[in-house]
Amino acid sequence: MENLLNQKGFHLSLPKEDARKATLVLFNEIFRSIAIGTSYDSTMKLMIAVGVSLLIKMIRKKESRAISFENMIVTDSRGRRFLPVTVSIDEPELHLHPYLQRAMLAFCRSILNNEEPFFLKLVQTILGVDGLRGQLFVVTHSTDSLVNDYRQIIRIYWDDRKKVQAACGASFHFDREIEKHLIMHFPEVKEALYSKCTILVEGETEYGSFGYFAKTLGVNFDYHGICLINARGESSISKIAQLVRRFHIPAVCLYDRDVMGTARQSPYVFFTDFICYEMDVVKSCLAHRGRKALDQVIGDMEDAGDAVNTSLIKKAGAKLGLPKGYYPPVKLKNINPRNREALEFYYFAWLYGNKGVIIGRTLGKSLGKELIPPAFARVIQAAVRLSCGSSDK
């Protein structure tokens, strides 16, 4: 080992009589020179502690007379010798911030997969094996400690009879395209694994508004354990809903009504009352004398202004199936308040053309209880019932 280190430019003398002391000297020498004075000093210190702890435990196993070390070794078809190792880490979030959680767990995985060259050479030299056959188990309430692959997650939950059950992602079977889609979106869905119920919406405007709508209706999502998920498109809603339900988490889905013919019908699949989210908002506000609320929302969007230009009209007209030139460009403040049809179209055109989480949040904060579209209230109420354990429709 000293010769190996000399070849790599590290000149030191290792204690001959104690392998544990030699290990400590090695880690200190190798990592200290890399870490001191850098921004990742604390990260490297943590890795030193983890690596030293694991190596010392393995050395003690080799020295123990309770079980023959050779009986622990497994040999593959090529005659290579591996030491099976299982590492369990309980709630790393108790003492580590998110970056250190991810760094420490990544380091453990690399060690157990023989991907850390220096540590692997130590294992080979000190333990006399070719590598490790490792498994890492992490018990956590932190999304930062979860891997970004649902297939490597086991969720522990209580069933209806208050018995502890487990749902294992590795046992789920989806077709290849859905599986790829779910793995791609899983980093955004991980928080749902700790929830009592999820609400899936199509886009950013819905996502920005629903939490505020719920509070206006007297519902705090956090109090009820309700997770709001932006599916980023109606085609993703059913796929994500399948996944969270496989983990035994109820899901409530909200689609725009224009996809009602293609979306799968079920008790907790809801649709907007009109063609889409924006039209529900406009019709509900205008039906309850809420034009001022819409003007306030639009006024808060300083960059957009209240002009409904040709581009917005074209986009809205295509959505509603209107012929070109049916409505001319106009400023919202100039629309006759008695022309309900024009009010609905132009306010819809403005909202439909200015989608996003910011406008959604502004709508959520601005609309009073009476202005919140009924379809949205039904979704929120259904999620509350499910979070409380009720399956009544």
Side-chain angles (χ1 to χ4, degrees):
M1 181 56 70
E2 287 182 6
N3 291 335
L4 175 68
L5 291 169
N6 287 331
Q7 292 171 12
K8 292 181 174 291
F10 296 96
H11 304 289
L12 72 161
S13 178
L14 299 178
K16 303 293 191 297
E17 73 286 353
D18 192 327
R20 285 185 290 274
K21 288 182 180 178
T23 302
L24 289 168
V25 171
L26 279 170
F27 271 86
N28 185 59
E29 182 66 25
I30 296 298
F31 289 109
R32 181 172 58 85
S33 61
I34 297 172
I36 288 178
T38 70
S39 60
Y40 51 90
D41 182 38
S42 61
T43 303
M44 298 304 290
K45 287 177 180 176
L46 176 63
M47 291 180 180
I48 293 170
V50 170
V52 169
S53 175
L54 287 175
L55 197 54
I56 288 175
K57 288 180 184 297
M58 288 186 284
I59 291 170
R60 286 175 178 166
K61 283 289 183 184
K62 183 176 183 180
E63 295 174 346
S64 173
R65 296 182 180 180
I67 301 176
S68 170
F69 187 73
E70 286 301 315
N71 289 342
M72 301 179 192
I73 303 301
V74 295
T75 305
D76 69 6
S77 59
R78 296 165 56 188
R80 295 178 301 176
R81 291 155 47 83
F82 293 93
L83 175 64
V85 176
T86 300
V87 176
S88 179
I89 300 174
D90 188 30
E91 299 189 328
E93 66 272 17
L94 292 181
H95 304 288
L96 302 176
H97 63 64
Y99 290 101
L100 278 182
Q101 289 176 49
R102 292 194 291 267
M104 185 266 290
L105 295 175
F107 184 62
C108 287
R109 283 192 290 270
S110 66
I111 285 175
L112 296 173
N113 291 328
N114 301 309
E115 295 170 351
E116 199 66 43
F118 181 73
F119 190 90
L120 176 59
K121 183 59 69 174
L122 287 177
V123 167
Q124 291 170 341
T125 303
I126 296 173
L127 300 178
V129 296
D130 293 295
L132 305 177
R133 284 280 178 89
Q135 280 189 302
L136 176 64
F137 290 89
V138 182
V139 179
T140 182
H141 291 93
S142 168
T143 56
D144 296 292
S145 293
L146 290 179
V147 291
N148 288 328
D149 186 343
Y150 70 87
R151 297 171 301 182
Q152 297 182 36
I153 290 177
I154 299 172
R155 179 177 182 263
I156 308 299
Y157 66 97
W158 280 333
D159 64 14
D160 294 338
R161 296 173 295 172
K162 295 301 180 183
K163 291 187 176 181
V164 176
Q165 304 288 350
C168 178
S171 67
F172 303 164
H173 299 289
F174 301 103
D175 67 51
R176 192 166 184 80
E177 283 305 310
I178 292 179
E179 184 175 72
K180 285 167 57 179
H181 184 91
L182 291 175
I183 291 173
M184 181 176 68
H185 285 272
F186 191 65
E188 302 165 3
V189 180
K190 289 193 293 186
E191 187 176 314
L193 295 178
Y194 301 105
S195 69
K196 295 180 179 179
C197 180
T198 60
I199 296 177
L200 287 94
V201 294
E202 287 191 21
E204 293 183 356
T205 312
E206 295 95 318
Y207 182 78
S209 64
F210 258 66
Y212 293 100
F213 288 155
K215 286 184 179 180
T216 300
L217 294 170
V219 175
N220 186 305
F221 282 166
D222 290 336
Y223 291 174
H224 289 275
I226 297 172
C227 178
L228 179 65
I229 298 175
N230 175 8
R232 302 187 186 280
E234 58 87 14
S235 63
S236 296
I237 290 180
S238 63
K239 299 179 180 70
I240 296 173
Q242 283 184 62
L243 178 62
V244 296
R245 286 169 180 156
R246 292 283 184 90
F247 277 112
H248 292 266
I249 302 162
V252 180
C253 307
L254 175 65
Y255 290 91
D256 287 343
R257 181 159 287 271
D258 60 350
V259 300
M260 191 171 184
T262 58
R264 186 177 179 181
Q265 307 287 316
S266 73
Y268 286 98
V269 170
F270 292 82
F271 297 88
T272 55
D273 288 326
F274 301 96
I275 191 168
C276 63
Y277 171 94
E278 289 77 16
M279 187 61 84
D280 270 35
V281 169
V282 170
K283 283 185 173 288
S284 182
C285 286
L286 295 180
H288 297 89
R289 300 181 181 180
R291 182 179 178 182
K292 285 185 178 179
L294 290 174
D295 288 335
Q296 179 184 338
V297 169
I298 293 166
D300 287 343
M301 302 292 105
E302 296 178 359
D303 297 335
D306 75 335
V308 182
N309 57 33
T310 303
S311 176
L312 295 178
I313 290 171
K314 183 179 178 181
K315 186 175 181 180
K319 179 72 172 178
L320 298 175
L322 297 176
K324 293 181 181 180
Y326 194 81
Y327 285 102
V330 71
K331 286 194 171 186
L332 293 172
K333 63 183 177 183
N334 295 332
I335 302 172
N336 186 338
R338 295 182 180 180
N339 189 342
R340 179 66 173 270
E341 182 179 311
L343 286 172
E344 286 184 358
F345 174 80
Y346 283 115
Y347 278 101
F348 169 76
W350 192 98
L351 289 176
Y352 190 68
N354 289 282
K355 293 183 177 186
V357 69
I358 302 299
I359 188 70
R361 184 173 63 183
T362 307
L363 280 167
K365 289 180 176 180
S366 302
L367 300 192
K369 186 174 182 179
E370 72 285 356
L371 300 181
I372 295 172
F376 304 172
R378 290 195 293 270
V379 168
I380 292 167
Q381 290 158 3
V384 170
R385 291 196 299 273
L386 283 174
S387 72
C388 295
S390 171
S391 59
D392 297 335
K393 296 181 183 180

